[in-house]
Amino acid sequence: MATIPLHSLPAHNLQGRDFLDFADFTAQELQQLLTLSLELKLKHKAGVPYRPMAGKTLGLIFEKASTRTRVSFEVAMNQLGGQAMFLSGRDTQIGRGEPIPDTARVLSRYLDGIMIRTFGHEIVTEFAAYSSVPVINGLTDLHHPCQVLADVLTLQEKKGKVQGLTVTYVGDGNNMANSWLIAAPKFGINLRIATPPGYECDPAVVAQAQQLASFHGTELLLTHDPILAVQDTDMIYTDVWASMGQEEEQKQREQDFAAYQVNQALAAHAKPDYLFMHCLPAHRGEEVSADVIDGPNSVVFDEAENRLHVQKAIIVATMV
């Protein structure tokens, strides 16, 4: 089947590049990915086939469990004409201690691209250093760029633009907050992050974000005051209080984060037409109240759907 040209993908595309961290891409390249995501979504909704990945295989390495990441990547490759191969960490030699460089060298001789969802960010960076095919970060403890790109796409669809808008993240200074720190200034978004004392974002990422905000002319506010952070904001974002690997901290975190629940009282300080987003899975009654996540301002399921479309764009841009 002949492929259909994409107007948003220039000749100097991102072919062969890894997708590990927003810091590796210019603002123009990220906008290109956003535009391509929307174009691929429109083609899919219109029933227009686009299958440039025919004959190609994407390996999916999971050392952390997933619903959205696994399903969206597998469906993305299927809809693009290729196939995806699920590789559980405990079912491969990685889980038995094979050196990452050896695994990377071998798998990149079989596969056309590799997605990794794991713990330490150094795992994906080392894997990419030894892989001869593109490596995509499906999530690490430090960054989650696939999710934030889907968030920005959703924001653009719902608001008609992203530049000049204000996004507020309330909760743990985790990988979601870190990726927002790097992405926001490159998209022209003003960012506010409210975390409890002791749960701030990675200092090195913060320093990088401050430089980017200054360069791109955007605002960056880091605070422990959630009310200040959501004042007149366009979007409120949150995540679970205890991520995978932090389950033993759950009780302590429930106490430390009690004042950081996104509920109607907090959301009342945002703009009336604010959007609510969450990367999911969500714990109703903990980081967000049910009436917020299930309310009229919530776009969490549109946001989740957009994981499929942005991952298609990443695959097409790097692997075609």
Coordinates of all heavy atoms in Angstrom, one line a residue, residues 55-118:
G55 N 6.4 -4.0 7.6 CA 7.6 -4.7 7.6 C 8.5 -4.4 8.7 O 9.6 -5.0 8.8
K56 N 8.1 -3.4 9.6 CA 9.0 -3.0 10.7 C 8.5 -3.4 12.0 O 7.3 -3.6 12.2 CB 9.2 -1.5 10.6 CG 10.0 -1.0 9.4 CD 10.3 0.4 9.4 CE 11.1 0.9 8.2 NZ 11.6 2.3 8.3
T57 N 9.4 -3.6 13.0 CA 9.0 -4.1 14.3 C 9.6 -3.2 15.4 O 10.7 -2.8 15.3 CB 9.5 -5.5 14.6 OG1 9.0 -6.4 13.5 CG2 9.0 -6.0 15.9
L58 N 8.7 -2.8 16.3 CA 9.1 -2.0 17.5 C 9.1 -2.9 18.7 O 8.1 -3.5 19.0 CB 8.1 -0.8 17.7 CG 8.3 0.0 18.9 CD1 9.6 0.8 18.8 CD2 7.1 1.0 19.2
G59 N 10.3 -3.0 19.3 CA 10.4 -3.7 20.6 C 9.9 -2.9 21.8 O 10.2 -1.7 21.9
L60 N 9.1 -3.5 22.7 CA 8.6 -2.8 23.8 C 9.1 -3.5 25.1 O 8.7 -4.5 25.5 CB 7.1 -2.8 23.8 CG 6.4 -2.3 22.6 CD1 4.9 -2.5 22.7 CD2 6.7 -0.9 22.3
I61 N 10.1 -2.8 25.7 CA 10.7 -3.4 26.9 C 10.0 -2.8 28.2 O 10.1 -1.5 28.4 CB 12.2 -3.1 27.0 CG1 12.9 -3.8 25.8 CG2 12.8 -3.6 28.3 CD1 14.4 -3.4 25.7
F62 N 9.4 -3.6 29.0 CA 8.7 -3.1 30.2 C 9.4 -3.7 31.4 O 9.3 -4.9 31.7 CB 7.3 -3.5 30.1 CG 6.4 -2.7 29.2 CD1 6.3 -3.0 27.9 CD2 5.8 -1.6 29.7 CE1 5.6 -2.2 27.0 CE2 5.0 -0.8 28.8 CZ 4.9 -1.1 27.5
E63 N 10.0 -2.8 32.2 CA 10.4 -3.2 33.6 C 9.4 -2.6 34.6 O 9.5 -2.9 35.8 CB 11.8 -2.7 33.8 CG 12.8 -3.4 33.0 CD 14.3 -3.1 33.4 OE1 14.7 -2.0 33.3 OE2 14.9 -4.1 33.7
K64 N 8.5 -1.7 34.2 CA 7.4 -1.2 35.0 C 6.1 -1.5 34.3 O 6.0 -1.4 33.1 CB 7.5 0.3 35.1 CG 8.4 0.8 36.2 CD 8.3 2.3 36.5 CE 9.0 2.8 37.7 NZ 8.8 4.2 38.0
A65 N 5.1 -1.9 35.1 CA 3.8 -2.3 34.5 C 3.2 -1.1 33.8 O 3.5 0.1 34.1 CB 2.9 -2.8 35.6
S66 N 2.2 -1.4 32.9 CA 1.6 -0.3 32.2 C 0.3 -0.8 31.6 O 0.1 -1.9 31.3 CB 2.5 0.2 31.1 OG 1.8 1.1 30.2
T67 N -0.7 0.2 31.5 CA -1.9 -0.1 30.7 C -1.8 0.8 29.4 O -1.7 0.3 28.3 CB -3.1 0.3 31.4 OG1 -3.3 -0.5 32.6 CG2 -4.4 0.1 30.6
R68 N -1.8 2.1 29.6 CA -1.8 3.0 28.4 C -0.6 2.9 27.6 O -0.7 3.0 26.3 CB -2.0 4.5 29.0 CG -3.5 4.8 29.3 CD -3.5 5.9 30.4 NE -3.1 5.3 31.7 CZ -3.9 4.6 32.5 NH1 -5.1 4.4 32.2 NH2 -3.4 4.1 33.6
T69 N 0.6 2.8 28.2 CA 1.8 2.8 27.4 C 1.9 1.6 26.5 O 2.1 1.7 25.3 CB 3.1 2.9 28.2 OG1 3.0 4.1 29.0 CG2 4.3 2.8 27.4
R70 N 1.6 0.4 27.0 CA 1.7 -0.8 26.2 C 0.6 -0.8 25.1 O 0.9 -1.0 24.0 CB 1.5 -2.0 27.1 CG 1.6 -3.3 26.3 CD 1.5 -4.6 27.1 NE 1.5 -5.7 26.2 CZ 1.4 -7.0 26.6 NH1 1.4 -7.2 27.9 NH2 1.4 -8.0 25.8
V71 N -0.6 -0.6 25.5 CA -1.7 -0.6 24.5 C -1.6 0.4 23.4 O -1.7 0.1 22.2 CB -3.1 -0.5 25.2 CG1 -4.2 -0.5 24.2 CG2 -3.3 -1.7 26.2
S72 N -1.2 1.6 23.8 CA -1.1 2.7 22.8 C 0.0 2.5 21.8 O -0.1 2.7 20.6 CB -1.0 4.1 23.5 OG 0.1 4.1 24.3
F73 N 1.2 2.0 22.3 CA 2.3 1.7 21.4 C 2.0 0.5 20.5 O 2.3 0.5 19.3 CB 3.6 1.4 22.2 CG 4.4 2.7 22.4 CD1 4.5 3.3 23.6 CD2 5.1 3.3 21.3 CE1 5.3 4.4 23.8 CE2 5.8 4.4 21.5 CZ 5.9 5.0 22.8
E74 N 1.3 -0.5 21.0 CA 1.0 -1.7 20.2 C 0.0 -1.3 19.1 O 0.1 -1.7 18.0 CB 0.5 -2.8 21.1 CG 1.6 -3.5 21.9 CD 1.2 -4.9 22.5 OE1 0.1 -5.4 22.1 OE2 1.9 -5.4 23.3
V75 N -1.0 -0.6 19.5 CA -2.0 -0.2 18.6 C -1.4 0.8 17.5 O -1.8 0.7 16.3 CB -3.2 0.5 19.3 CG1 -4.2 1.1 18.3 CG2 -4.0 -0.6 20.1
A76 N -0.6 1.7 18.0 CA 0.1 2.6 17.1 C 0.8 1.9 16.0 O 0.7 2.2 14.8 CB 1.0 3.6 17.8
M77 N 1.6 0.9 16.4 CA 2.4 0.2 15.4 C 1.5 -0.6 14.4 O 1.7 -0.6 13.2 CB 3.4 -0.7 16.0 CG 4.7 -0.1 16.4 SD 5.6 0.7 15.0 CE 6.3 -0.8 14.3
N78 N 0.4 -1.2 15.0 CA -0.5 -1.9 14.1 C -1.2 -1.0 13.1 O -1.3 -1.3 11.9 CB -1.6 -2.6 15.0 CG -2.6 -3.3 14.2 OD1 -3.6 -2.8 13.8 ND2 -2.3 -4.6 14.0
Q79 N -1.6 0.2 13.6 CA -2.3 1.1 12.7 C -1.4 1.7 11.6 O -1.8 2.1 10.5 CB -3.0 2.2 13.5 CG -4.2 1.7 14.3 CD -4.9 2.8 15.0 OE1 -4.5 4.0 15.0 NE2 -5.9 2.5 15.8
L80 N -0.1 1.8 12.0 CA 0.9 2.3 11.0 C 1.5 1.2 10.1 O 2.3 1.4 9.3 CB 2.1 2.9 11.8 CG 1.8 4.2 12.5 CD1 2.9 4.6 13.4 CD2 1.4 5.3 11.5
G81 N 0.9 0.0 10.2 CA 1.3 -1.1 9.3 C 2.4 -2.0 9.8 O 2.8 -3.0 9.1
G82 N 3.0 -1.7 11.0 CA 4.0 -2.6 11.5 C 3.6 -3.5 12.6 O 2.4 -3.7 12.8
Q83 N 4.5 -4.0 13.4 CA 4.1 -4.8 14.5 C 5.0 -4.4 15.7 O 6.1 -3.9 15.6 CB 4.3 -6.3 14.2 CG 5.7 -6.7 13.9 CD 5.9 -8.2 13.6 OE1 5.0 -9.0 14.1 NE2 6.9 -8.6 12.9
A84 N 4.4 -4.7 16.9 CA 5.1 -4.4 18.2 C 5.4 -5.7 18.9 O 4.5 -6.6 18.9 CB 4.3 -3.5 19.1
M85 N 6.5 -5.8 19.6 CA 6.9 -7.1 20.3 C 7.1 -6.7 21.8 O 7.9 -5.9 22.1 CB 8.1 -7.7 19.7 CG 8.6 -8.9 20.4 SD 10.1 -9.6 19.7 CE 9.5 -10.1 18.1
F86 N 6.2 -7.3 22.6 CA 6.3 -7.0 24.1 C 7.4 -7.8 24.7 O 7.5 -9.0 24.5 CB 5.0 -7.4 24.7 CG 5.0 -7.3 26.2 CD1 4.9 -6.0 26.9 CD2 5.1 -8.4 27.0 CE1 4.9 -5.9 28.2 CE2 5.1 -8.3 28.4 CZ 5.0 -7.0 29.0
L87 N 8.3 -7.2 25.4 CA 9.4 -7.8 26.1 C 9.4 -7.4 27.6 O 9.8 -6.3 27.9 CB 10.7 -7.4 25.4 CG 10.9 -7.6 23.9 CD1 12.1 -6.9 23.3 CD2 11.1 -9.1 23.7
S88 N 9.0 -8.4 28.4 CA 9.0 -8.1 29.8 C 10.4 -8.2 30.4 O 11.1 -9.1 30.0 CB 8.1 -9.1 30.5 OG 8.2 -9.1 31.9
G89 N 10.7 -7.3 31.3 CA 12.1 -7.4 31.9 C 12.4 -8.7 32.5 O 13.5 -9.2 32.5
R90 N 11.4 -9.3 33.2 CA 11.6 -10.6 33.8 C 11.7 -11.8 32.9 O 12.1 -12.9 33.3 CB 10.5 -10.8 34.9 CG 9.1 -11.0 34.3 CD 8.1 -11.2 35.5 NE 6.8 -11.3 35.0 CZ 6.0 -10.3 34.8 NH1 6.4 -9.1 35.2 NH2 4.7 -10.4 34.4
D91 N 11.3 -11.6 31.6 CA 11.3 -12.6 30.7 C 12.5 -12.5 29.7 O 12.6 -13.3 28.8 CB 10.0 -12.7 29.8 CG 8.8 -13.0 30.7 OD1 9.0 -13.7 31.7 OD2 7.7 -12.5 30.4
T92 N 13.4 -11.5 29.9 CA 14.5 -11.4 29.0 C 15.8 -11.4 29.9 O 15.7 -11.4 31.1 CB 14.5 -10.0 28.3 OG1 14.6 -8.9 29.3 CG2 13.2 -9.8 27.5
Q93 N 16.9 -11.4 29.2 CA 18.2 -11.5 29.9 C 18.5 -10.2 30.7 O 19.4 -10.3 31.6 CB 19.3 -11.9 29.0 CG 19.2 -13.3 28.3 CD 19.2 -14.4 29.4 OE1 19.8 -14.3 30.4 NE2 18.5 -15.5 29.0
I94 N 17.8 -9.1 30.4 CA 18.0 -7.9 31.1 C 17.7 -8.2 32.6 O 18.4 -7.7 33.5 CB 17.2 -6.8 30.6 CG1 17.6 -6.3 29.2 CG2 17.2 -5.6 31.5 CD1 16.8 -5.2 28.6
G95 N 16.6 -8.9 32.8 CA 16.1 -9.1 34.2 C 17.1 -10.1 34.9 O 17.0 -10.2 36.1
R96 N 18.0 -10.7 34.2 CA 18.9 -11.7 34.8 C 20.3 -11.1 34.8 O 21.3 -11.8 35.1 CB 18.9 -13.0 34.0 CG 17.5 -13.7 34.1 CD 17.5 -15.0 33.2 NE 18.4 -16.0 33.8 CZ 18.6 -17.1 33.2 NH1 18.1 -17.4 32.1 NH2 19.4 -18.0 33.8
G97 N 20.4 -9.8 34.5 CA 21.7 -9.2 34.7 C 22.6 -9.0 33.5 O 23.8 -8.6 33.6
E98 N 22.1 -9.3 32.3 CA 22.9 -9.1 31.1 C 23.2 -7.6 31.0 O 22.3 -6.7 31.2 CB 22.1 -9.5 29.8 CG 23.0 -9.3 28.6 CD 22.3 -9.8 27.3 OE1 21.1 -9.6 27.2 OE2 23.0 -10.4 26.5
P99 N 24.4 -7.2 30.7 CA 24.8 -5.8 30.6 C 23.9 -5.1 29.5 O 23.7 -5.6 28.5 CB 26.3 -5.8 30.1 CG 26.8 -7.2 30.6 CD 25.6 -8.1 30.5
I100 N 23.5 -3.9 29.9 CA 22.6 -3.1 29.0 C 23.3 -2.9 27.6 O 22.6 -3.1 26.6 CB 22.3 -1.8 29.6 CG1 21.3 -2.0 30.8 CG2 21.6 -0.8 28.6 CD1 21.0 -0.8 31.6
P101 N 24.6 -2.6 27.5 CA 25.2 -2.5 26.2 C 25.1 -3.7 25.3 O 24.8 -3.6 24.1 CB 26.7 -2.2 26.5 CG 26.6 -1.5 27.8 CD 25.5 -2.2 28.6
D102 N 25.2 -4.9 25.9 CA 25.1 -6.2 25.1 C 23.6 -6.3 24.6 O 23.4 -6.7 23.5 CB 25.4 -7.4 26.0 CG 26.9 -7.4 26.3 OD1 27.7 -6.5 25.8 OD2 27.3 -8.3 27.1
T103 N 22.7 -6.1 25.5 CA 21.3 -6.2 25.1 C 20.9 -5.2 24.0 O 20.3 -5.6 23.0 CB 20.3 -6.0 26.3 OG1 20.6 -6.9 27.3 CG2 18.9 -6.1 25.9
A104 N 21.4 -4.0 24.1 CA 21.1 -3.0 23.1 C 21.7 -3.3 21.8 O 21.0 -3.2 20.7 CB 21.7 -1.6 23.6
R105 N 22.9 -3.8 21.8 CA 23.6 -4.2 20.5 C 22.8 -5.3 19.8 O 22.7 -5.3 18.6 CB 25.0 -4.6 20.8 CG 26.0 -3.4 21.2 CD 27.4 -4.0 21.2 NE 28.4 -3.0 21.7 CZ 28.9 -3.0 22.9 NH1 28.5 -3.9 23.8 NH2 29.8 -2.1 23.2
V106 N 22.4 -6.3 20.6 CA 21.7 -7.4 20.0 C 20.3 -7.0 19.5 O 20.0 -7.3 18.3 CB 21.6 -8.6 21.0 CG1 20.7 -9.7 20.5 CG2 23.0 -9.1 21.3
L107 N 19.5 -6.4 20.4 CA 18.1 -6.1 20.0 C 18.1 -5.2 18.8 O 17.2 -5.2 18.0 CB 17.4 -5.5 21.2 CG 17.1 -6.5 22.3 CD1 16.2 -5.8 23.4 CD2 16.4 -7.8 21.8
S108 N 19.0 -4.2 18.7 CA 19.0 -3.3 17.6 C 19.4 -3.9 16.3 O 19.2 -3.3 15.2 CB 19.9 -2.1 17.9 OG 21.2 -2.4 18.1
R109 N 19.9 -5.2 16.3 CA 20.1 -5.9 15.1 C 18.8 -6.6 14.6 O 18.7 -7.1 13.4 CB 21.2 -6.9 15.2 CG 22.6 -6.2 15.4 CD 23.7 -7.1 15.3 NE 25.0 -6.4 15.5 CZ 26.2 -6.7 15.0 NH1 26.2 -7.8 14.2 NH2 27.3 -6.0 15.2
Y110 N 17.9 -6.8 15.5 CA 16.6 -7.5 15.2 C 15.5 -6.5 14.9 O 14.6 -6.8 14.1 CB 16.2 -8.4 16.4 CG 17.1 -9.4 16.8 CD1 17.1 -9.8 18.2 CD2 17.9 -10.1 15.9 CE1 18.0 -10.8 18.6 CE2 18.8 -11.1 16.3 CZ 18.8 -11.5 17.7 OH 19.6 -12.5 18.1
L111 N 15.5 -5.4 15.6 CA 14.4 -4.5 15.7 C 14.6 -3.2 14.9 O 15.8 -2.9 14.7 CB 14.0 -4.2 17.1 CG 13.7 -5.4 18.0 CD1 13.7 -5.0 19.5 CD2 12.3 -6.0 17.6
D112 N 13.6 -2.5 14.6 CA 13.7 -1.2 13.9 C 13.6 0.0 14.8 O 13.9 1.1 14.5 CB 12.6 -1.1 12.8 CG 12.7 -2.2 11.8 OD1 13.7 -2.2 11.0 OD2 11.9 -3.1 11.8
G113 N 13.2 -0.3 16.1 CA 13.1 0.7 17.1 C 12.8 0.1 18.4 O 12.3 -1.1 18.4
I114 N 13.1 0.7 19.5 CA 12.9 0.1 20.9 C 12.3 1.2 21.8 O 12.8 2.3 21.9 CB 14.3 -0.3 21.4 CG1 14.9 -1.4 20.5 CG2 14.1 -0.9 22.9 CD1 16.3 -1.7 20.8
M115 N 11.2 0.8 22.5 CA 10.6 1.6 23.5 C 11.0 1.0 24.9 O 10.8 -0.2 25.0 CB 9.1 1.7 23.3 CG 8.4 2.7 24.2 SD 8.2 2.2 26.0 CE 7.4 0.7 25.9
I116 N 11.4 1.8 25.8 CA 11.7 1.2 27.2 C 10.9 2.0 28.2 O 10.9 3.2 28.2 CB 13.2 1.4 27.5 CG1 14.1 0.8 26.4 CG2 13.5 0.7 28.8 CD1 15.5 1.0 26.6
R117 N 10.3 1.2 29.1 CA 9.6 1.8 30.3 C 10.3 1.2 31.5 O 10.1 0.0 31.7 CB 8.1 1.5 30.2 CG 7.3 2.1 31.4 CD 5.8 1.7 31.2 NE 5.0 2.0 32.4 CZ 4.4 3.2 32.5 NH1 4.4 4.1 31.5 NH2 3.6 3.4 33.6
T118 N 11.0 2.0 32.3 CA 11.9 1.4 33.3 C 12.0 2.4 34.5 O 11.2 3.3 34.6 CB 13.2 1.1 32.7 OG1 14.0 0.4 33.7 CG2 14.0 2.3 32.3

